[in-house]
Amino acid sequence: MSTPDLPLSRYRPISQLRVPVTRVERAKVPVVDAHVHLGRWLSDDGDWMVGDVPALLDTMDALNVRGMVNLDGRWGRELAENLERYDAAHPGRFATFCHVDWSQAAEPGFGERLAAQLRASVAEGAAGLKVWKDLGLHVRDHRGELLMLDDVRLGPLWAAAGELGIPIALHTADPVAFFEPVDERNERLEQLTARPDWAFSGPEFPSFERLMEAMEAMVAAHPATTVIGVHAGCWPENLGWVGRMLDEHPNFHIDIAARVAELGRAPRAARALVTSHPDRVLFGTDELSPDPEVYRLHFRFMETADEAFAHSLEDPPPMGRWTISGLDLPDDVLTRVYAGNALRLVPRLDPRPEVVTVTRD
């Protein structure tokens, strides 16, 4: 009998494992998605990620999603249009975070200017600050040197967030495998082959460990500033490290956005982390255009004890060819992780209507 001669990329094994399958149509308790992209910043065509906001609200209601944090606010007119389209038009359902303009780092004295920009954005209605991975990997100062999270010149910006009482949704680094050689031993080889721009193993980039050190130093230096380490604290492959961060830094929180694949392959460690810190973990998906089936997969992961199921709707899964198991979180933990923690950190999502200031030309 001959074996098929086909590349590994075409390998699609069918599991013969027989285990319970639970379909969760809607969340058991109300949900706030603390990490979504609804604006235009990441869209391919420059248009809104969501074309029909009322239809999105209907989908949210069907899934028991009471609110969303939109991380696409940017600044200036783009922020104003996000606030107008989401926060002001639908009070209590959306909260938009702003960004700061890192191009200002090209001139000395940028820390105070960025802090002033943040204050202006919050005055206009921004509910928080999103900091993306370009800080640490691409943003350079006037000397052409990479700007790191723990650079003292950024102190005024981080302090301003604390003074304003807004959280920072912080994404630094990326999966650890992105910082390793792209070879046959890399667990994200397929993903990096498709997206070579996501490989950061070259000498022009800092090490993964250096980026983590910078994040911890920044969190430690600003205890009055709330920091949400998105993507499971930015190091889901090392939940012991994430747990230590939560233990040692009361201002540090995490979300689970786009890291179900990592968390679900270590379900006992992930469950222990969440149940040990139920007030510090936020639900999130990192959806760019909310898909009901993606939410149902997340609800299955959070609410059931199902084993060995796919972590992605894509074939093959882009974030690894392994399966995951559910966390089966208790109801009191679910209530806090699904919505309670986000409502505490982002009061804009309180169901009571409120006035959102929007600047217009």
Side-chain angles (χ1 to χ4, degrees):
M1 177 181 176
S2 62
T3 58
D5 183 14
L6 76 164
L8 186 60
S9 61
R10 290 177 54 196
Y11 182 50
R12 297 291 188 276
I14 299 175
S15 175
Q16 300 303 310
L17 190 65
R18 296 293 179 262
V19 290
V21 176
T22 308
R23 180 169 174 82
V24 183
E25 290 291 340
R26 58 186 270 120
K28 191 174 188 179
V29 296
V31 168
V32 168
D33 189 335
H35 190 139
V36 293
H37 297 280
L38 305 177
R40 297 179 288 208
W41 170 48
L42 297 174
S43 65
D44 294 329
D45 58 5
D47 203 354
W48 296 102
M49 287 291 186
V50 173
D52 188 337
V53 180
L56 172 61
L57 289 165
D58 289 342
T59 298
M60 291 167 63
D61 290 341
L63 295 168
N64 204 13
V65 176
R66 64 177 292 175
M68 290 182 168
V69 175
N70 171 29
L71 297 180
D72 291 355
R74 307 295 275 172
W75 56 84
R77 185 61 194 173
E78 186 69 15
L79 172 62
E81 292 183 3
N82 272 270
L83 289 168
E84 183 174 22
R85 180 181 176 83
Y86 295 110
D87 304 39
H90 307 283
R93 301 305 299 271
F94 301 104
T96 295
F97 280 26
C98 66
H99 299 213
V100 291
D101 181 4
W102 293 118
S103 68
Q104 296 191 33
E107 297 293 335
F110 55 82
E112 291 292 351
R113 290 197 304 276
L114 292 171
Q117 184 184 51
L118 177 61
R119 292 189 182 95
S121 292
V122 172
E124 292 168 12
L129 171 65
K130 171 64 187 291
V131 176
W132 197 47
K133 65 183 180 182
D134 53 348
L135 182 64
L137 292 175
H138 299 294
V139 176
R140 296 182 180 274
D141 65 12
H142 63 284
R143 297 172 300 207
E145 298 178 358
L146 279 174
L147 191 60
M148 306 294 287
L149 281 167
D150 58 351
D151 193 303
V152 295
R153 293 171 295 178
L154 290 175
L157 175 61
W158 312 138
E163 294 162 6
L164 293 164
I166 61 163
I168 299 173
L170 174 59
H171 174 178
T172 192
D174 246 346
V176 178
F178 288 12
F179 293 81
E180 299 294 328
V182 183
D183 58 23
E184 72 279 4
R185 296 181 181 276
N186 193 305
E187 68 176 3
R188 297 294 190 98
L189 179 60
E190 286 181 291
Q191 195 174 17
L192 292 172
T193 299
R195 290 296 304 264
D197 55 312
W198 287 353
F200 304 120
S201 60
E204 67 272 29
F205 299 108
S207 68
F208 180 88
E209 290 74 15
R210 171 68 185 101
L211 292 166
M212 294 298 102
E213 290 171 1
M215 179 173 73
E216 181 167 12
M218 172 263 208
V219 170
H222 298 278
T225 300
T226 297
V227 177
I228 305 168
V230 302
H231 306 312
C234 301
W235 201 349
E237 301 91 341
N238 188 348
L239 295 182
W241 183 91
V242 176
R244 182 187 62 76
M245 283 287 292
L246 292 168
D247 288 338
E248 296 182 5
H249 304 289
N251 58 321
F252 189 66
H253 301 67
I254 68 172
D255 74 22
I256 68 164
R259 294 299 183 266
V260 167
E262 304 290 358
L263 297 171
R265 64 174 172 170
R268 286 177 292 188
R271 190 181 195 277
L273 178 77
V274 177
T275 55
S276 297
H277 305 88
D279 296 320
R280 310 277 288 287
V281 181
L282 285 73
F283 178 86
T285 62
D286 198 23
E287 279 289 273
L288 275 69
S289 181
D291 181 338
E293 290 306 312
V294 170
Y295 279 91
R296 292 182 177 115
L297 188 155
H298 280 71
F299 300 158
R300 183 184 183 190
F301 171 65
M302 299 289 281
E303 298 180 24
T304 81
D306 285 6
E307 297 178 297
F309 58 92
H311 58 74
S312 173
L313 304 180
E314 298 181 50
D315 182 23
M319 297 180 72
R321 286 184 177 238
W322 53 80
T323 59
I324 64 172
S325 296
L327 300 187
D328 191 22
L329 294 172
D331 289 356
D332 63 323
V333 175
L334 272 178
T335 299
R336 285 177 275 185
V337 173
Y338 263 170
N341 297 333
L343 293 176
R344 185 181 72 254
L345 298 182
V346 189
R348 171 75 47 77
L349 294 169
D350 189 288
R352 294 168 297 181
E354 66 176 74
V355 176
V356 178
T357 303
V358 179
T359 57
R360 296 181 175 84
D361 295 335

